[in-house]
């Protein structure tokens, strides 16, 4: 085992990516990149979502969010819908195609979570989440 947290997290991330690509519904949802998948899942879970919400949730810049949203619109995964209270505001809505993909991704998410949590107690999982949150805050403090 390596003592570098960054290397270990990268290694784990690579293992998870390989697991998802080889064992789950990934082959059925090839049109969805990892980021697109996370965004579809977020919109499916939260309902009324705006681009600024994606920026905050995923820690991405406005320009990155704008590019990702534009590409997802081109792929037929999301649409912009006007909001009655403010014509300038556009909420992001999943298309029927994305809704179906969302169902497959939810199945995959549940499978990977079961696999990752296997053998851990609830207390250990709570502690792990605490550690990861602390690491995120440490990085955020350094990056502004």
């Amino acid at each position: 085992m390596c003592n570098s947290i960054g290397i270990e997290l990268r290694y784990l991330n690579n293992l998870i990516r390989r697991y998802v690509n080889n064992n789950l519904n990934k082959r059925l949802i090839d049109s969805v990149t990892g980021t697109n998948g996370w965004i579809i899942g977020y919109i499916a879970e939260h309902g009324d979502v705006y681009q600024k919400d994606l920026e905050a949730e995923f820690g991405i810049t406005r320009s990155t969010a704008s590019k990702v949203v534009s590409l997802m619109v081109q792929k037929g995964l999301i649409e912009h819908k006007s909001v009655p209270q403010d014509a300038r505001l556009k909420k992001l809505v999943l298309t029927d195609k994305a809704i179906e993909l969302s169902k497959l991704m939810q199945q995959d998410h549940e499978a990977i979570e079961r696999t990752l949590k296997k053998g851990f107690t609830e207390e250990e999982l709570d502690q792990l989440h605490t550690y990861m949150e602390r690491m995120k805050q440490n990085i955020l403090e350094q990056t502004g």
Side-chain angles (χ1 to χ4, degrees):
M1 183 164 121
C2 178
N3 285 332
S4 169
I5 292 172
I7 291 172
E8 288 296 321
L9 290 174
R10 176 75 176 188
Y11 185 82
L12 178 59
N13 184 55
N14 289 340
L15 289 174
I16 292 169
R17 185 177 300 119
R18 262 186 248 130
Y19 177 83
V20 168
N21 287 337
N22 295 325
N23 298 312
L24 303 174
N25 289 316
K26 179 69 172 140
R27 287 174 232 125
L28 302 174
I29 52 177
D30 282 338
S31 65
V32 179
T33 64
T35 304
N36 290 177
W38 287 107
I39 291 171
I40 289 170
Y42 182 79
I43 295 171
E45 185 177 326
H46 291 89
D48 287 348
V49 173
Y50 303 89
Q51 183 174 309
K52 65 179 174 50
D53 299 320
L54 299 180
E55 295 164 17
E57 179 66 20
F58 297 103
I60 56 177
T61 63
R62 181 181 295 185
S63 64
T64 299
S66 180
K67 288 175 192 172
V68 169
V69 167
S70 292
L71 286 171
M72 290 181 73
V73 169
Q74 287 176 5
K75 290 179 181 179
L77 298 171
I78 59 175
E79 300 172 332
H80 294 279
K81 295 283 183 181
S82 295
V83 188
Q85 64 268 24
D86 187 345
R88 298 168 298 168
L89 210 54
K90 305 281 188 220
K91 91 176 156 177
L92 305 175
V93 179
L94 297 179
T95 62
D96 290 342
K97 175 182 176 181
I99 291 169
E100 288 305 313
L101 292 170
S102 173
K103 291 175 186 174
L104 293 174
M105 289 185 296
Q106 182 60 34
Q107 292 171 0
D108 285 358
H109 174 74
E110 291 168 4
I112 192 72
E113 284 294 310
R114 276 192 309 274
T115 301
L116 288 169
K117 292 177 179 180
K118 184 179 175 183
F120 286 95
T121 66
E122 284 301 314
E123 183 179 327
E124 289 171 326
L125 292 170
D126 288 343
Q127 196 65 45
L128 176 61
H129 285 284
T130 299
Y131 296 150
M132 289 189 298
E133 188 59 37
R134 193 179 319 160
M135 285 186 245
K136 289 190 298 190
Q137 289 305 315
N138 290 344
I139 294 294
L140 288 171
E141 287 173 9
Q142 294 299 311
T143 60

